[in-house]
Amino acid sequence: MTPETPKLIPAPLSTETAGGPGFPLDAATGVEAGPGAERTARWLRTAVGAATGLPLDPAAGDARRVRLRIRPDLEGDEAYRLTVDAERVLIEGGGPAGVFYGAQTFRQLLGPDAFRRAPLHAGRVWEVPAVTVTDAPRFRWRGLMLDVARHFMPKEGVLRYLDLMAAHKLNVFHFHLTDDQGWRIEIRRHPRLTGIGSWRARTKTGHRASPLWEEKPHGGHYTQDDIREIVAYAAERHITVVPEIDVPGHSQAAIAAYPELGNSDVVDTSALSVWDTWGINPNVLAPTDTTLRFYEGVLEEVLELFPSRFVHIGGDECPKDQWRRSPAAQARIRELGLADEDALQSWFVGHFDAWLTARGRRLIGWDEILEGGLAEGAAVSSWRGYAGGIAAARAGHDVVMCPEQQVYLDHRQAPGPDEPVPIGWVRTLEDVYRFEPVPPELTPEEARHVLGTQANLWTEVMEDQGRVDYQAFPRLAAFAEVAWSALPAPAERDFAGFERRMTAHYRRLDALGVAYRPPAGPLPWQRRPGVLGRPLDGPPPHR
């Protein structure tokens, strides 16, 4: 009988099953870590050791062992080869990250109980099937954006999502920390950003047209030590944390804390509070030297906390009406010799691009930053479809593809009336699986500017961790395969095969406590009857 191929997600480049016995993992099994693999050995002892109840001590003598080592001849730091037979488990990586991803695959081979936090059965012998897995990722940027400004996620929830990302071989955590509805990161030189800007008096329930409100304060923020912990926890899992500090739009929480940041010559900014509803906010930053110096101070502290080369500055959805009516903004346009308010926004973004470049960092922003021209080193998150990414790549800018129509996971998963707070177009599990990050219009040279892809979780209608789980999963598993695996063209992808592998993966998600959307539809407690959403009918536009 031919051995069954393991049901791995994301799908590896190749899997060769072998006949005969697998590797028994028991109390005598040791872990041998070569130079550069120590971090993965530590992760195995904490995560897999907790689930199995096995010590996985450093290997000694003739003990059977799980061996971890760097193989520089493998193609790329994230590539790995996992070899299992009756005598050994050998996990080889092109670099430390590859060893870690091989260990993630090893955990999947152990079965769903290996994803629990404590053993279910004392004295159990775990058998790893005999197999050779050779693997490497398609993209170097495999991201998840989590919005903690609209609804705050406490630190423990963020750490949990980093573990879920690692389990799916995602490696960039885009941390959306500021918006009109809340400022979530401690800035010591500007304490009112969290003292005032981190909470709102009440919250709209559902879409902004909904008549419902949650009449209680909502808020929270991360201290600088919390941020250091999150960044370090992510680094242990080979995840880069990219912070987002929004300018010049999506800034009412900051203006509520420091009214001088707003256009006080056309609106009473001292009367503003942290915004309690959703949508595009008219209150934007004033293009003054005061604002520039303030945000330079913010970013100085941000750079101390986040080693990521990229820093996201937002740059999207900045209404220009206040600038049109502001004598100060109009004077700035004349002083700088700019054509109009769009050029003023481009100047604002360009200032921070130069500021970050001078400090060895790179600016990345939503695709609106293309309007009016973009500095050479800046990168673009293409969210309004593919067009922004195509334009950016053709202009020589690096791009992260995250089109709203394809990978905004706040969009509804089915057309049925039980879908909770239905937002946007229907994006099923299959739709996400057939998403292609690289537009066919790009030449091979232009396509090299596509760093990768990212799924986005905007939390206006996700009030707690369970709602975030429901919107993210199982679609994030499909997205992870798109980002990692060498899949054929969208129409040729084996979605039925992916669904068969998902039967095993749902059990892993169950063990991890993920409140995913079941294939048959939402469970009774996952529904939100009577809460108004904003469904969009028909297929989404492709561009």
Side-chain angles (χ1 to χ4, degrees):
M1 180 181 293
T2 303
E4 182 182 9
T5 301
K7 293 181 171 65
L8 301 174
I9 287 179
L13 283 173
S14 72
T15 305
E16 299 175 16
T17 55
F23 179 85
L25 194 73
D26 58 25
T29 304
V31 174
E32 177 187 333
E38 300 88 353
R39 192 186 305 182
T40 296
R42 184 163 59 247
W43 177 83
L44 277 171
R45 292 187 184 103
T46 54
V48 176
T52 60
L54 303 176
L56 303 178
D57 289 331
D62 296 327
R64 288 192 314 276
R65 64 194 63 194
V66 177
R67 187 179 179 192
L68 313 173
R69 71 177 188 182
I70 306 294
R71 277 277 304 273
D73 58 319
L74 292 178
E75 189 174 344
D77 180 71
E78 295 183 305
Y80 70 88
R81 181 178 295 122
L82 168 61
T83 307
V84 182
D85 57 33
E87 301 301 322
R88 63 170 183 168
V89 172
L90 176 61
I91 302 174
E92 301 170 297
V99 176
F100 181 73
Y101 296 132
Q104 291 289 346
T105 298
F106 170 70
R107 188 189 194 186
Q108 288 196 19
L109 292 174
L110 283 168
D113 288 346
F115 290 80
R116 297 187 179 274
R117 295 191 180 186
L120 302 186
H121 308 288
R124 171 179 172 180
V125 174
W126 300 70
E127 183 165 309
V128 190
V131 67
T132 298
V133 179
T134 303
D135 205 3
R138 179 184 180 192
F139 292 110
R140 51 181 162 152
W141 185 301
R142 305 180 302 280
L144 175 67
M145 190 286 303
L146 179 63
D147 165 23
V148 296
R150 273 52 177 270
H151 278 99
F152 179 65
M153 181 177 283
K155 181 191 69 177
E156 288 301 318
V158 174
L159 299 178
R160 173 178 176 266
Y161 257 82
L162 292 170
D163 279 329
L164 292 173
M165 288 178 64
H168 292 83
K169 301 184 174 72
L170 299 174
N171 69 342
V172 178
F173 179 55
H174 176 169
F175 206 7
H176 184 81
L177 289 162
T178 74
D179 217 296
D180 300 301
Q181 296 86 2
W183 185 285
R184 305 296 180 209
I185 177 173
E186 177 190 19
I187 302 297
R188 289 177 175 166
R189 73 188 70 186
H190 301 306
R192 295 207 304 271
L193 286 171
T194 47
I196 293 172
S198 70
W199 68 277
R200 55 184 182 262
R202 64 175 187 168
T203 299
K204 174 69 70 173
T205 300
H207 182 250
R208 59 181 174 270
S210 166
L212 305 176
W213 295 87
E214 184 179 42
E215 296 286 353
K216 70 175 186 181
H218 176 87
H221 73 275
Y222 310 103
T223 68
Q224 294 202 355
D225 281 346
D226 290 337
I227 294 292
R228 290 185 180 95
E229 181 183 359
I230 288 166
V231 169
Y233 195 86
E236 287 281 316
R237 288 147 184 80
H238 297 277
I239 294 170
T240 299
V241 184
V242 176
E244 181 178 353
I245 305 294
D246 260 303
V247 296
H250 288 290
S251 297
Q252 184 162 318
I255 297 168
Y258 291 92
E260 64 271 22
L261 298 175
N263 296 284
S264 55
D265 53 350
V266 295
V267 65
D268 181 7
T269 55
S270 65
L272 294 177
S273 58
V274 178
W275 213 26
D276 56 13
T277 189
W278 321 121
I280 299 176
N281 190 302
N283 294 298
V284 302
L285 296 174
T288 64
D289 288 341
T290 296
T291 301
L292 297 181
R293 300 293 89 74
F294 183 96
Y295 274 88
E296 287 170 1
V298 168
L299 288 171
E300 283 176 4
E301 296 192 28
V302 167
L303 297 191
E304 291 173 1
L305 296 168
F306 295 92
S308 164
R309 189 179 179 199
F310 285 97
V311 175
H312 208 292
I313 56 84
D316 63 318
E317 296 180 331
C318 178
K320 310 299 191 300
D321 182 63
Q322 288 185 358
W323 289 354
R324 293 187 186 99
R325 295 187 290 119
S326 164
Q330 292 301 310
R332 193 76 182 208
I333 289 173
R334 291 191 298 271
E335 171 197 335
L336 296 168
L338 302 176
D340 54 20
E341 291 78 18
D342 288 337
L344 184 62
Q345 179 173 347
S346 179
W347 165 82
F348 198 106
V349 171
H351 174 87
F352 286 103
D353 179 81
W355 190 91
L356 288 166
T357 299
R359 287 153 181 81
R361 306 297 182 98
R362 287 185 66 187
L363 180 146
I364 185 169
W366 304 111
D367 55 52
E368 285 95 329
I369 68 173
L370 286 164
E371 298 164 5
L374 189 57
E376 183 178 348
V380 172
S381 301
S382 185
W383 77 274
R384 295 180 299 175
Y386 287 93
I390 292 170
R394 285 176 172 166
H397 295 288
D398 288 339
V399 180
V400 176
M401 284 292 186
C402 49
E404 174 188 18
Q405 302 90 335
Q406 309 295 330
V407 288
Y408 268 38
L409 301 185
D410 47 311
H411 284 206
R412 59 192 171 135
Q413 304 185 61
D418 289 334
E419 211 59 39
V421 200
I423 299 295
W425 291 285
V426 172
R427 294 287 84 193
T428 65
L429 182 66
E430 183 172 0
D431 290 331
V432 174
Y433 190 68
R434 297 194 188 280
F435 163 59
E436 172 49 50
V438 179
E441 296 93 329
L442 296 180
T443 67
E445 178 64 30
E446 292 165 347
R448 278 195 277 273
H449 285 291
V450 179
L451 298 177
T453 184
Q454 178 173 290
N456 293 342
L457 279 168
W458 299 103
T459 62
E460 287 93 335
V461 299
M462 301 180 213
E463 72 277 9
D464 56 31
Q465 179 177 283
R467 281 287 289 123
V468 175
D469 279 6
Y470 180 92
Q471 294 301 132
F473 289 98
R475 292 183 297 180
L476 193 64
F479 172 81
E481 185 148 310
V482 168
W484 177 277
S485 304
L487 298 177
E492 300 167 10
R493 292 177 188 172
D494 182 10
F495 180 67
F498 175 76
E499 284 189 303
R500 286 192 293 273
R501 285 181 288 119
M502 279 301 298
T503 60
H505 202 65
Y506 284 121
R507 294 180 60 206
R508 298 178 192 126
L509 296 178
D510 287 333
L512 287 164
V514 176
Y516 58 84
R517 181 190 187 274
L523 298 167
W525 56 88
Q526 293 174 320
R527 301 167 189 163
R528 295 292 184 275
V531 179
L532 183 69
R534 185 182 62 95
L536 297 173
D537 294 327
H542 186 62
R543 290 286 177 261

